[in-house]
Amino acid sequence: TEDTTGSPSAAIMSKVFKKTSGNGSIALYLGRRDFVDHVDSVDVVDGIVKVDPSGLNGRKVFVYLACAFRYGSDDLDVIGLSFRRDIWIKKVQVYPPADGNPTKTPMQESLLKKVGEQGCPFSFQMPTNLPCSVSLHPGPKDDGKACGVDFEVKAYIANEANNPDEVIEKKDTCRLMIRKIQFAPTNKAGPKVELSKQFMMSDKPIHLEASLEKEIYYHGDPINVIVKINNETSKTIKKIKVSVDQLTNVVLYSSDTYTKEVCSEEFAENIAANSTFEKSFQVTPMLSNNKEKRGLAVDGKLKDEDTNLASTTLSQGDKEIQGIIVHYKVKIAVTASGGGLLGGLTGSDVVVELPLTLMSPKPA
């Protein structure tokens, strides 16, 4: 069972997350389920296991934290195929305590007040090159667990931490899913790109400049794209299309990148030959407008919460991250036609792309 009771002694916690094993001998307690990746470090995952030694029959209690890539449906496990691949896993023995009397975190002190004498603390330090919690949006007809990256804390009773021949029964385990998340850093000036393009039968170019007001946009906020055009040709510009693409890089056995358009708007504009133009266009990428798109990356969620498009993955450049990495780009396409000897036959596009960082703000 999952218990989210309040704890008056714990100023640090608003609720406690608890899972008890089927046999009642162990219970897992966490003070929170969201752990922040600050790019150069990750929050420590700390908690308590309450142990009733009378139900152990001489066995020990271990806890593991695993980051895994899930390929989807669990019902395929029955034919002996595992559709989970561990990206990173760490195991610790909590009972009998293996490392004497470690320093307890404030969170563990608060949990111990609730749990009492039988509480055994544990903590894990994740490395900085793990992906964040992200899942791939299922199609309208897909059921079962979504494909993606998840994090799980599991306590279990066993003779050894890691013996493949030892059978661990479900009643001897309890687990809680947690999330690894990133929040937007301080905003900076937005990116800018310029391109001059010359066309057949024209000795002068169309000069296109596009920029974003800021580097980071929050989920659900409109994105203002500033477009400046100097049309030195004899062509007329008829329309400007602004779209946002999500690029999902799945890094497991090999590296595959999937590109999905998450929003697109066409704006009818009439920019005459030999004239200049400047205007701001607004687009808002939203998950709610992409519900039918299978395989779109969305931020990981716990149970049936709402979620949003996956946040941009922040990394320290040279680090090899496994799992799922997400980026976005804004694409601006300017369509010109007419003019010159061949008229409409030489209709042409000028296209530029800008990187976009889409994230959630840091909570207060």
Side-chain angles (χ1 to χ4, degrees):
T1 56
E2 184 165 329
D3 171 22
T4 53
T5 47
S7 167
S9 65
I12 189 168
M13 297 178 288
S14 54
K15 44 160 90 163
V16 173
F17 300 95
K18 174 190 173 188
K19 270 281 173 73
T20 307
S21 63
N23 58 20
S25 297
I26 54 172
L28 179 60
Y29 289 79
L30 291 176
R32 56 182 175 148
R33 291 175 79 173
D34 282 347
F35 296 86
V36 181
D37 174 352
H38 307 277
V39 182
D40 54 352
S41 68
V42 187
D43 288 351
V44 170
V45 178
D46 51 355
I48 295 289
V49 182
K50 184 179 182 181
V51 179
D52 175 3
S54 66
L56 300 186
N57 302 326
R59 292 171 299 166
K60 301 168 183 160
V61 180
F62 303 93
V63 182
Y64 80 51
L65 170 60
C67 166
F69 188 92
R70 191 188 293 284
Y71 291 79
S73 182
D74 266 359
D75 45 358
L76 292 163
D77 289 352
V78 294
I79 55 172
L81 289 169
S82 171
F83 278 75
R84 235 181 102 85
R85 178 179 168 197
D86 287 326
I87 296 171
W88 180 85
I89 187 165
K90 186 105 188 261
K91 302 183 180 191
V92 294
Q93 180 178 319
V94 293
Y95 185 88
D99 56 354
N101 201 357
T103 314
K104 295 173 192 69
T105 64
M107 180 72 83
Q108 287 170 332
E109 296 280 11
S110 299
L111 288 168
L112 282 167
K113 283 185 187 140
K114 184 178 176 60
V115 173
E117 297 290 290
Q118 295 181 317
C120 302
F122 65 86
S123 61
F124 295 99
Q125 180 63 68
M126 286 188 249
T128 52
N129 64 338
L130 294 180
C132 286
S133 299
V134 63
S135 58
L136 300 180
H137 192 58
K141 291 192 175 69
D142 294 349
D143 50 12
K145 285 204 174 80
C147 177
V149 170
D150 60 36
F151 290 80
E152 171 186 88
V153 180
K154 180 162 118 179
Y156 60 100
I157 303 167
N159 289 308
E160 291 174 55
N162 201 6
N163 177 0
D165 298 327
E166 185 175 1
V167 177
I168 297 165
E169 293 185 44
K170 205 166 181 182
K171 65 177 173 55
D172 288 336
T173 67
C174 46
R175 58 186 202 155
L176 283 167
M177 304 308 289
I178 62 168
R179 269 192 307 211
K180 176 173 168 289
I181 49 182
Q182 289 180 327
F183 292 119
T186 316
N187 229 327
K188 298 196 201 83
K192 183 168 111 174
V193 64
E194 298 179 53
L195 178 70
S196 287
K197 186 166 176 184
Q198 243 170 311
F199 299 101
M200 219 163 63
M201 320 296 253
S202 167
D203 56 345
K204 293 273 183 70
I206 288 177
H207 184 76
L208 168 61
E209 180 189 296
S211 59
L212 301 179
E213 295 170 307
K214 51 190 179 181
E215 185 188 29
I216 299 160
Y217 286 84
Y218 299 147
H219 295 291
D221 283 0
I223 295 160
N224 288 319
V225 184
I226 301 139
V227 175
K228 295 180 186 177
I229 295 169
N230 181 5
N231 179 12
E232 296 181 24
T233 69
S234 54
K235 293 171 180 289
T236 307
I237 292 169
K238 296 289 190 192
K239 71 172 182 193
I240 295 171
K241 180 182 168 187
V242 181
S243 55
V244 177
D245 284 350
Q246 181 191 72
L247 292 88
T248 304
N249 192 2
V250 179
V251 189
L252 277 170
Y253 303 102
S254 62
S255 181
D256 303 307
T257 302
Y258 304 93
T259 303
K260 294 224 174 350
E261 192 175 75
V262 289
C263 75
S264 172
E265 300 266 354
E266 281 195 3
F267 303 92
E269 297 290 346
N270 205 15
I271 305 163
N274 299 303
S275 69
T276 58
F277 169 89
E278 181 175 340
K279 192 170 176 181
S280 178
F281 298 96
Q282 225 177 51
V283 289
T284 311
M286 301 273 282
L287 176 59
S288 52
N289 302 331
N290 290 280
K291 287 288 192 197
E292 302 299 303
K293 284 194 184 139
R294 187 168 183 238
L296 204 61
V298 298
D299 272 344
K301 56 182 180 174
L302 298 168
K303 294 224 160 158
D304 301 318
E305 299 172 356
D306 269 349
T307 184
N308 41 261
L309 290 168
S311 297
T312 299
T313 309
L314 300 179
S315 71
Q316 288 176 304
D318 53 351
K319 257 195 221 128
E320 178 63 36
I321 296 179
Q322 278 219 308
I324 296 178
I325 302 159
V326 179
H327 296 289
Y328 291 88
K329 64 181 180 190
V330 180
K331 217 150 99 185
I332 300 97
V334 172
T335 304
S337 61
L341 235 54
L342 299 175
L345 292 176
T346 54
S348 320
D349 280 359
V350 187
V351 182
V352 293
E353 293 177 352
L354 290 162
L356 166 70
T357 302
L358 203 57
M359 297 193 80
S360 297
K362 244 183 205 132

